[in-house]
Amino acid sequence: MQSAGTPSETASDSALAPADELSLLRSRVQRLEAELESRLDASSHDSMELEAARALLAFTGKTFFRSLLEHLCTALHTEYAFVAEPVEGQPTRVRALAVHVDGAEGEPFEYALSGTPCEQVWSEDLCVYTSGVQEAYPEDTCLKRMGIIGYAGVPLRASDGHVIGHLAVMARHPLQHACRTEVLLRIFAARAAAELDRLQAEERLRRSETLLRSILDHSVSSIYVKDLDGRY
């Protein structure tokens, strides 16, 4: 077993408008794509892994996550992989955005972090159990029900460093080559984190626009709009 951790006038000048935030996140995705290609060219000696990682650059959104999980399972020879994010208003629960099981897309699910290896991912960092994960987390009945022996998970971090989700793979057999597993997880997680950050920013922008539209549509008062130069 191996475990490692490593638009208002009163708004603050440092606050970003949702549209600006989204633009910065898109730029971050592009930079990560370039970095990923560079790192792969420099360090990958496995043609299958190289092809799998580069395939991720062609997708965005849910399609991206499905592709990531499929290629990750293939590269690491695991039966399960999923990407999860917190349930809104319930920080101790997460929901899977995309799931890959036995070579096919799986059904999304939701679960509590407590007593699972994913809890360690959120509280610390990379978590790898080449074997014996059931013994390490006896309260996690899902591991036993699914016959999981090996587990590896890594947090997905926003541009400011806070955790916004996690990426995990699970296998019914011991994981091979822990170092290789860690490298691939971290490379794929960097791109996955940027994509999840971008999707969450788009959702915040959508909610902001919906709220503003609702206020404008239902207000019985006169509304004046002033631009940044003070003109109405």
Side-chain angles (χ1 to χ4, degrees):
M1 177 177 74
Q2 176 180 340
S3 178
T6 60
S8 74
E9 294 177 308
T10 60
S12 170
D13 292 338
S14 62
L16 287 175
D20 294 332
E21 181 182 15
L22 184 54
S23 178
L24 287 175
L25 286 170
R26 285 171 174 158
S27 297
R28 182 182 173 220
V29 168
Q30 293 172 350
R31 290 197 304 273
L32 282 168
E33 289 173 350
E35 178 184 350
L36 175 57
E37 287 192 299
S38 175
R39 291 180 63 178
L40 287 169
D41 287 336
S43 64
S44 178
H45 303 288
D46 188 317
S47 60
M48 182 181 68
E49 291 177 11
L50 182 62
E51 181 182 353
R54 281 181 170 156
L56 301 177
L57 306 180
F59 303 105
T60 58
K62 297 298 178 63
T63 303
F64 161 76
F65 289 117
R66 288 194 293 267
S67 179
L68 178 145
L69 298 179
E70 178 183 358
H71 287 99
L72 197 55
C73 279
T74 300
L76 296 179
H77 306 290
T78 61
E79 292 85 8
Y80 299 89
F82 63 95
V83 174
E85 68 174 351
V87 175
E88 185 175 5
Q90 302 181 60
T92 61
R93 293 186 64 83
V94 295
R95 60 164 170 260
L97 298 175
V99 183
H100 192 78
V101 181
D102 292 327
E105 183 178 354
E107 291 294 326
F109 55 87
E110 183 179 311
Y111 66 101
L113 285 170
S114 179
T116 73
C118 299
E119 182 180 25
Q120 181 178 339
V121 174
W122 279 76
S123 62
E124 299 179 24
D125 192 51
L126 178 78
C127 174
V128 177
Y129 287 88
T130 55
S131 64
V133 69
Q134 288 188 39
E135 291 75 14
Y137 293 90
E139 296 179 4
D140 190 342
T141 58
C142 290
L143 294 175
K144 183 176 182 179
R145 184 176 70 250
M146 298 164 67
I148 301 302
I149 295 176
Y151 170 96
V154 65
L156 304 181
R157 299 184 182 277
S159 55
D160 62 2
H162 79 277
V163 180
I164 57 175
H166 71 270
L167 168 66
V169 295
M170 301 185 296
R172 301 190 191 99
H173 53 80
L175 296 177
Q176 302 297 317
H177 311 295
C179 291
R180 177 170 167 269
T181 297
E182 177 181 346
V183 170
L184 280 176
L185 275 178
R186 290 199 182 279
I187 290 175
F188 286 178
R191 175 64 174 86
E195 186 63 20
L196 181 56
D197 207 4
R198 185 186 68 81
L199 289 176
Q200 291 179 350
E202 285 185 338
E203 177 62 18
R204 290 192 295 269
L205 178 59
R206 185 192 65 79
R207 292 184 181 183
S208 177
E209 291 175 340
T210 299
L211 177 60
L212 179 58
R213 187 178 300 112
S214 177
I215 293 173
L216 293 174
D217 289 346
H218 296 89
S219 176
V220 296
S221 304
S222 298
I223 297 177
Y224 295 88
V225 179
K226 185 165 62 173
D227 64 17
L228 293 177
D229 295 324
R231 297 172 299 188
Y232 285 95

